[in-house]
């Protein structure tokens, strides 16, 4: 099953969101902590969010959530560590 094809966004509409200060965050191959870590984002990183999807629940700097942000092809981070300004979905659901 293929999950989370990113939604195409043009460069002029793409917004980057800050990762929580002082945090290095695991980027996973799917929307949950059971997925493989594919890389680690450095402190101070900013990420685009192409789409969002429910996954495993994580407690982080910005609360507890089951929302996972798709930041690249098959790359997800927990929304609990991304400063979106919202406790809910801010982008379309991943298809």
């Amino acid at each position: 099953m293929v999950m989370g094809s990113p939604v195409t966004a043009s460069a002029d509409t793409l917004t980057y969101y800050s990762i929580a200060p002082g945090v290095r965050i695991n980027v996973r191959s799917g929307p949950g902590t059971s997925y493989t870590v594919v890389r680690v984002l450095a402190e101070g990183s900013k990420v685009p969010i192409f789409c969002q999807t429910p996954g495993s629940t994580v407690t982080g700097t910005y609360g507890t959530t089951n929302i996972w942000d798709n930041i690249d092809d098959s790359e997800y981070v927990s929304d609990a560590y991304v400063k979106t300004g919202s406790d809910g979905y801010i982008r379309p659901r991943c298809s």
Side-chain angles (χ1 to χ4, degrees):
M1 180 170 150
V2 176
M3 295 187 66
S5 300
V7 174
T8 303
S10 64
D12 58 334
T13 62
L14 195 56
T15 300
Y16 284 77
Y17 299 89
S18 296
I19 297 300
V23 174
R24 295 179 64 217
I25 188 170
N26 291 331
V27 178
R28 297 188 177 269
S29 61
T33 55
S34 62
Y35 288 88
T36 304
V37 175
V38 295
R39 63 184 170 122
V40 178
L41 295 177
E43 291 181 31
S45 293
K46 291 187 176 192
V47 295
I49 300 174
F50 294 101
C51 61
Q52 295 176 298
T53 192
S56 59
T57 299
V58 173
T59 299
T61 306
Y62 300 116
T64 300
T65 185
N66 72 335
I67 298 173
W68 285 74
D69 303 331
N70 176 259
I71 63 168
D72 204 342
D73 189 30
S74 298
E75 292 190 358
Y76 295 83
V77 295
S78 172
D79 197 60
Y81 293 99
V82 182
K83 187 174 184 179
T84 62
S86 173
D87 288 336
Y89 287 88
I90 60 158
R91 300 289 297 148
R93 295 272 182 118
C94 301
S95 56

